[in-house]
Amino acid sequence: MANESQSRTARRQQQQSKQSKKKKRSLWKKILLTIGVILLIVSISVGALFGYYAITAPDLDSSLLSDPASTKVYDMNKGLYADLGTEKRTKITYNDIPETLKNAVLATEDVRFFDHSGIDLRRIGGAVIANFTDGFGSEGASTITQQVVKDSFLSTDKTIKRKVQEQWLAIQLDRKYSKEEIFEMYLNKIYYGSGAYGVATAAETYFGKTDLNELTLSESALLAGLPQRPSAYDPMVNPDLAKKRMNTVLKLMVRHEKISEAEAEEAKQVNIEDMLNPSSKQDVKYQAFIQKVAEEVERKTGANIYTDGLEVYTTLDPKAQDKVEFLLSDAEDNPIKYSDDEIQSGVTVLDTTSGAIRAIGGGRNRENNNGWNYAFQGDGRQAGSVIKPILDYGPAIEHLNWSTYHQINDDAPYALKGTDGKEVKNWNNQYQGWVSARYALKKSLNVPALKALEEVGLTKAEEFANGIGISLHEKPIITDGIGGGSSNATSLEMAGAYSAFGNEGVYNEPYAVTEIVYSDGQTEKFKSEPKAAMSDATAYMITDMLKDVISSGTGTKASIPGLPIAGKTGTTNIEGGEGSPDAWFAGYTTNYSIAVWTGYGNTSKKAIPDTSISQRLFKELMSHISEGMDTPDFKKPNSVVEVAIEKGSNPAKLPSKFTPESEIVTELFKKGHEPSKTSEKFDQLDPVSGLEAEYDEETNSISVSWDYDGDQDVNFIVNAGGDNTTTTDKTEIEISSVEKGKTYTISVTAVDTSNEGNISEAKSVKVKVPEEEPEEEPNPNNPEDGTGENGETDEGGTPPDGSEGSEGGTEEDDDNSGSDQGGTGGDNGNDTGGPTEKPEKPSS
């Protein structure tokens, strides 16, 4: 029985095991069936979606295959000023293409071009893997055929729809046209930078060659590499990047066995600058501004204004742009005269309140009018003293609550730590002891600026600069505070930074594009977002100090009568040499902010002959664009207070009631940080006592005397009316040659010899000088009167008997009065002859 029971149990377990296996197989079948259905649905859906994308793809319009759709560029008033892509170009046929150029293009863009059917499945597979690992759009698989399609018919959106339509149309294009025709289309329509469409135009633009068969291997490799990023690889703008791209193409040609390793190495030895022989065939209006538009559109959207057929609305002001280009030209009536053709300048004009770029001056005599743009490309040049409000005084006011009066000791050169005795001097080699922040900035003194930066700290200073668009390109050092070190900037960056001071501390990143309308009708709008970079108090106090730079500091040549302007000059030094290789001026009104750099190109350290040229460029430009506009003055915010301060007090103190007006100055303080203590420097001296004055008839003078009981060492200022003032260290004085009949008010004031502003109350006394007594009538019978018996005298007043007469003359002698002796007084002020009454002693 036990065995039968065990057997039944075993059979039940086997049956249960079989049933469990059946259930598991059934579950897996359901899972696989579900997955299959899902995949089928997904496949059908994807196929339907792709089919929809293909059906809705644009038609192959043969008229668009040879020339790209043009991009229209509009100014701030929506006026058209450029139609890019409609320029004349040189077209070629397939037979005009030399083998070296063809191999360079194929090795770089599509090595299996002649083998695939418009799309390259191997490249698509690699791109799919990259897009899964790095995100959609990280790597493309576009063939030459696809690039022709994209540039001719489609937008630049990195979407699945656009890629599907691109591949579908590429297959259709490959069926309709031969490989040679498609290759010809590509080389005729692709954009090569510098305004050059098509390889033939590019060869002429960069190398001055009209026959493609004359192209060297190096030149062919350079041209083949440009279409990937034409602006970045432009050899006239970025020769170093262009050289790297050329070497990459040569490496690809070796990999695909188009050239040998030796040929590639020989081609790599050629300098980019030696290859260039640019022509001026392209001449697009406002090209310097368009360069900025192209950079901004590509950076913000990925679109290419030269190939994508856009409508671009910009911030350009034609009035400002025309003036900038005129001032950078060699026109005979240009008021700015340049010393030579090599001197360059970068100019930027912004709207102070919005950051909108109104004009850009990219340089002078630029190659093909499209070379290096000194206004915004690269890291810029050393900023010189225009950096001082940004790294030194701005952060000190913002973080340390400095006033414009804050005292800084300018007593000696600034010793640089860890430099074996190196030091920074003021530009004028003069040191004045304690000076205010206002004075130090106005006179652009280096030592106070470095002490300000040292006190606020490099970290906070760098953060402040970053907040208004200025980036130090290396770890900050103390000499950045005077525009040395890595304190480089472009005129675009500097104009943006200074605009924040003029906009109540609000920074707007400069921008050139307001709206883009894409080829499919989609619209995208742009505007800089305002950012509070500093307090309105800091902005206003810096502005107020910079107004002094214009009125009485280093920037007087930028002054424009009647226009409230703030600004700062800046120059740099040649280490171990003389002169300045860079001259800056950055300034602003409530309407416009302008920054101007002038110097020699290619980071040259050659000194410019005239460092005031940037100021004069600013003045001409600001005067022109401000003409006819209302330009209000900068408004003081409630966070700033004006306070009367006693000069020389340190820290700042209020003047006492005895402080002379000449010793009081008005400065700006952040509200809540103004001084409260009153100076005791000018305590009033004790006045003189016992003041007396007496007229002396015999000497016709007034004798003045007084006593002084004070302890101070003093002098005395004696005033007898009007400008009749005398200073003495005695307690008595004589006033001579006084006027008859006049009353004199004589005052005496004590003055501290060690502090001339410290004076006493004036004490005064009056003295009346008697009138001159009237002349007595002569007695004809009195011989002493000098008359004869008949009342006549000989000439000279001699009696008839020849004896000596009296010293006085008669009335007949009045015309000769004023002789040495005896003449009557008349109007000449001499004493009268004859007796006079003794005047009474005047009272004190």
Side-chain angles (χ1 to χ4, degrees):
M1 292 295 293
N3 291 334
E4 290 180 4
S5 177
Q6 292 176 356
S7 177
R8 285 196 298 271
T9 301
R11 286 197 297 271
R12 281 198 299 268
Q13 290 177 344
Q14 289 177 355
Q15 289 174 354
Q16 289 175 353
S17 176
K18 289 180 180 179
Q19 290 175 354
S20 176
K21 290 180 180 180
K22 286 181 180 180
K23 288 181 179 179
K24 289 181 180 179
R25 285 197 295 268
S26 176
L27 178 62
W28 276 110
K29 286 181 180 180
K30 290 180 180 179
I31 292 173
L32 291 174
L33 180 62
T34 301
I35 292 173
V37 171
I38 291 173
L39 289 176
L40 179 61
I41 293 173
V42 170
S43 299
I44 294 173
S45 300
V46 170
L49 181 63
F50 282 17
Y52 171 75
Y53 287 160
I55 293 172
T56 57
D59 296 331
L60 290 178
D61 186 347
S62 59
S63 64
L64 297 176
L65 288 171
S66 58
D67 295 334
S70 67
T71 289
K72 292 177 170 55
V73 189
Y74 300 87
D75 62 31
M76 61 181 288
N77 303 312
K78 292 184 168 40
L80 179 68
Y81 67 87
D83 196 356
L84 307 175
T86 60
E87 298 85 356
K88 293 181 179 179
R89 68 195 70 196
T90 302
K91 293 187 178 181
I92 57 166
T93 65
Y94 181 80
N95 294 330
D96 296 324
I97 304 170
E99 196 70 17
T100 301
L101 177 60
K102 181 175 69 173
N103 288 335
V105 173
L106 292 173
T108 306
E109 296 293 337
D110 189 359
V111 71
R112 286 179 291 277
F113 170 73
F114 285 96
D115 300 323
H116 59 62
S117 59
I119 60 174
D120 189 339
L121 296 178
R122 288 172 60 181
R123 292 184 68 179
I124 291 175
V128 168
I129 295 174
N131 288 329
F132 269 114
T133 56
D134 301 328
F136 181 76
S138 60
E139 182 177 320
S142 295
T143 62
I144 286 177
T145 311
Q146 287 175 257
Q147 292 183 56
V148 172
V149 166
K150 178 175 70 70
D151 291 342
S152 301
F153 309 114
L154 301 174
S155 70
T156 59
D157 295 341
K158 289 187 176 182
T159 62
I160 295 177
K161 177 182 178 180
R162 202 265 291 170
K163 290 301 296 184
V164 171
Q165 290 181 338
E166 178 185 299
Q167 293 172 3
W168 169 255
L169 291 175
I171 294 172
Q172 303 307 309
L173 187 68
D174 193 76
R175 291 174 179 174
K176 187 174 182 180
Y177 296 93
S178 68
K179 291 290 186 181
E180 291 75 13
E181 289 175 316
I182 295 173
F183 197 73
E184 180 184 307
M185 292 175 191
Y186 174 79
L187 290 182
N188 276 327
K189 75 182 290 119
I190 202 73
Y191 181 65
Y192 285 86
S194 289
Y197 292 88
V199 70
T201 307
E204 184 176 359
T205 298
Y206 292 118
F207 312 125
K209 295 183 177 181
T210 56
D211 186 352
L212 296 182
N213 289 297
E214 296 178 0
L215 292 174
T216 65
L217 174 58
S218 301
E219 292 168 344
S220 296
L222 179 58
L223 289 176
L226 289 177
Q228 186 188 65
R229 296 178 62 197
S231 297
Y233 295 139
D234 189 329
M236 294 187 293
V237 176
N238 297 314
D240 292 339
L241 285 178
K243 181 66 177 288
K244 290 180 180 179
R245 181 60 178 162
M246 182 191 76
N247 290 344
T248 298
V249 173
L250 292 170
K251 183 178 179 180
L252 290 171
M253 293 181 73
V254 172
R255 178 187 300 174
H256 296 299
E257 300 180 350
K258 304 295 184 181
I259 58 173
S260 66
E261 187 71 47
E263 289 175 311
E265 287 302 317
E266 182 181 356
K268 290 178 181 179
Q269 304 308 311
V270 180
N271 291 325
I272 295 294
E273 291 83 354
D274 296 337
M275 295 165 56
L276 298 177
N277 182 24
S279 71
S280 300
K281 184 173 182 178
Q282 304 295 327
D283 188 19
V284 179
K285 189 177 183 180
Y286 303 153
Q287 182 63 44
F289 195 94
I290 290 176
Q291 282 182 297
K292 177 57 183 171
V293 172
E295 180 273 333
E296 193 169 308
V297 169
E298 183 176 4
R299 172 166 49 86
K300 292 182 176 181
T301 71
N304 188 324
I305 67 171
Y306 295 102
T307 61
D308 293 339
L310 312 170
E311 290 182 16
V312 182
Y313 294 87
T314 72
T315 60
L316 180 137
D317 181 354
K319 178 181 179 181
Q321 187 68 36
D322 285 335
K323 189 65 174 181
V324 167
E325 295 189 1
F326 169 72
L327 291 173
L328 296 182
S329 73
D330 291 324
E332 291 185 4
D333 55 342
N334 185 356
I336 307 299
K337 304 302 179 184
Y338 298 93
S339 57
D340 56 65
D341 291 339
E342 299 301 317
I343 198 166
Q344 287 292 349
S345 187
V347 182
T348 301
V349 182
L350 301 182
D351 182 295
T352 299
T353 59
S354 70
I357 304 172
R358 298 305 184 201
I360 284 181
R364 300 181 60 250
N365 305 314
R366 298 193 308 150
E367 295 174 341
N368 197 31
N369 196 31
N370 197 58
W372 183 264
N373 194 311
Y374 289 96
F376 75 90
Q377 288 180 331
D379 294 335
R381 298 290 285 260
Q382 280 192 331
S385 291
V386 290
I387 204 70
K388 289 175 180 176
I390 298 170
L391 278 179
D392 308 330
Y393 299 105
I397 294 174
E398 180 73 8
H399 296 292
L400 304 179
N401 298 312
W402 278 18
S403 69
T404 57
Y405 175 80
H406 185 87
Q407 297 292 293
I408 311 170
N409 196 3
D410 178 37
D411 58 345
Y414 184 93
L416 296 173
K417 298 176 182 178
T419 58
D420 296 328
K422 287 186 178 181
E423 56 187 19
V424 174
K425 300 178 180 179
N426 287 333
W427 62 269
N428 55 8
N429 286 321
Q430 297 177 7
Y431 306 92
Q432 304 168 66
W434 292 98
V435 295
S436 68
R438 180 186 296 276
Y439 181 85
L441 183 56
K442 178 175 77 171
K443 295 300 184 181
S444 199
L445 302 177
N446 291 331
V447 172
L450 293 182
K451 289 186 176 181
L453 176 56
E454 181 180 35
E455 188 166 342
V456 76
L458 291 170
T459 300
K460 288 184 177 178
E462 184 179 21
E463 290 174 356
F464 185 93
N466 290 343
I468 53 178
I470 300 296
S471 299
L472 302 179
H473 302 288
E474 298 174 5
K475 183 179 179 180
I477 57 176
I478 193 68
T479 52
D480 289 338
I482 55 173
S486 63
S487 59
N488 286 23
T490 63
S491 68
L492 178 68
E493 293 168 335
M494 198 58 71
Y498 271 66
S499 70
F501 293 126
N503 192 33
E504 302 178 352
V506 176
Y507 173 71
N508 292 280
E509 182 182 359
Y511 67 102
V513 178
T514 60
E515 183 179 357
I516 298 176
V517 179
Y518 296 95
S519 57
D520 59 1
Q522 294 186 50
T523 299
E524 191 171 2
K525 294 187 177 182
F526 304 89
K527 187 178 181 181
S528 182
E529 291 297 325
K531 180 182 68 173
M534 69 190 84
S535 67
D536 57 355
T538 298
Y540 181 80
M541 291 165 71
I542 287 291
T543 295
D544 196 66
M545 291 195 289
L546 292 180
K547 289 172 74 174
D548 281 3
V549 173
I550 303 290
S551 62
S552 57
T554 58
T556 55
K557 291 183 180 179
S559 176
I560 303 172
L563 202 63
I565 303 173
K568 184 71 186 76
T569 56
T571 56
T572 60
N573 298 325
I574 299 175
E575 188 172 356
E578 295 182 356
S580 299
D582 306 286
W584 283 90
F585 188 84
Y588 53 96
T589 66
T590 49
N591 293 329
Y592 296 108
S593 297
I594 300 175
V596 182
W597 166 84
T598 307
Y600 288 95
N602 301 321
T603 64
S604 170
K605 287 298 180 181
K606 179 180 177 182
I608 58 175
D610 179 11
T611 57
S612 71
I613 191 169
S614 293
Q615 292 187 58
R616 292 186 286 112
L617 275 167
F618 172 91
K619 179 175 182 176
E620 292 291 336
L621 181 54
M622 184 65 86
S623 297
H624 178 76
I625 62 179
S626 300
E627 188 177 4
M629 289 188 67
D630 178 33
T631 305
D633 202 350
F634 303 95
K635 185 178 179 181
K636 181 171 70 66
N638 293 331
S639 56
V640 175
V641 291
E642 292 182 351
V643 182
I645 299 299
E646 186 175 279
K647 286 183 182 178
S649 58
N650 185 17
K653 292 182 179 179
L654 303 174
S656 70
K657 64 179 182 178
F658 305 119
T659 304
E661 287 294 328
S662 61
E663 297 300 311
I664 298 176
V665 61
T666 300
E667 293 287 0
L668 301 179
F669 290 77
K670 282 186 173 182
K671 193 171 184 177
H673 297 277
E674 57 268 39
S676 58
K677 293 184 178 181
T678 300
S679 173
E680 298 177 356
K681 178 180 179 181
F682 292 100
D683 288 340
Q684 190 170 26
L685 296 176
D686 294 332
V688 300
S689 61
L691 177 62
E692 294 184 350
E694 183 177 3
Y695 173 70
D696 187 335
E697 179 183 11
E698 184 176 346
T699 61
N700 191 35
S701 63
I702 298 175
S703 298
V704 186
S705 63
W706 59 89
D707 297 323
Y708 187 73
D709 299 326
D711 297 329
Q712 295 90 341
D713 186 11
V714 297
N715 287 329
F716 302 96
I717 299 175
V718 182
N719 181 274
D723 296 330
N724 190 1
T725 300
T726 304
T727 300
T728 179
D729 59 355
K730 311 295 184 184
T731 56
E732 60 182 6
I733 194 171
E734 183 177 288
I735 303 172
S736 60
S737 301
V738 295
E739 184 179 343
K740 299 286 187 177
K742 181 176 179 180
T743 298
Y744 286 84
T745 299
I746 301 168
S747 66
V748 180
T749 305
V751 181
D752 192 336
T753 57
S754 61
N755 186 352
E756 292 185 357
N758 195 5
I759 62 177
S760 73
E761 176 188 356
K763 293 293 184 179
S764 62
V765 63
K766 288 186 178 181
V767 179
K768 181 174 176 56
V769 179
E771 296 282 354
E772 189 171 22
E773 293 190 6
E775 190 85 22
E776 292 186 3
E777 292 292 332
N779 186 348
N781 297 318
N782 187 353
E784 292 183 0
D785 287 339
T787 60
E789 293 179 357
N790 297 320
E792 297 179 28
T793 64
D794 294 336
E795 291 185 7
T798 304
D801 59 2
S803 62
E804 185 177 351
S806 68
E807 293 180 355
T810 63
E811 289 183 348
E812 286 82 355
D813 294 328
D814 279 351
D815 288 343
N816 296 319
S817 64
S819 58
D820 288 344
Q821 294 180 347
T824 57
D827 293 332
N828 61 7
N830 290 336
D831 293 339
T832 59
T836 60
E837 295 184 7
K838 183 177 181 180
E840 296 180 0
K841 179 179 179 180
S843 61
S844 298

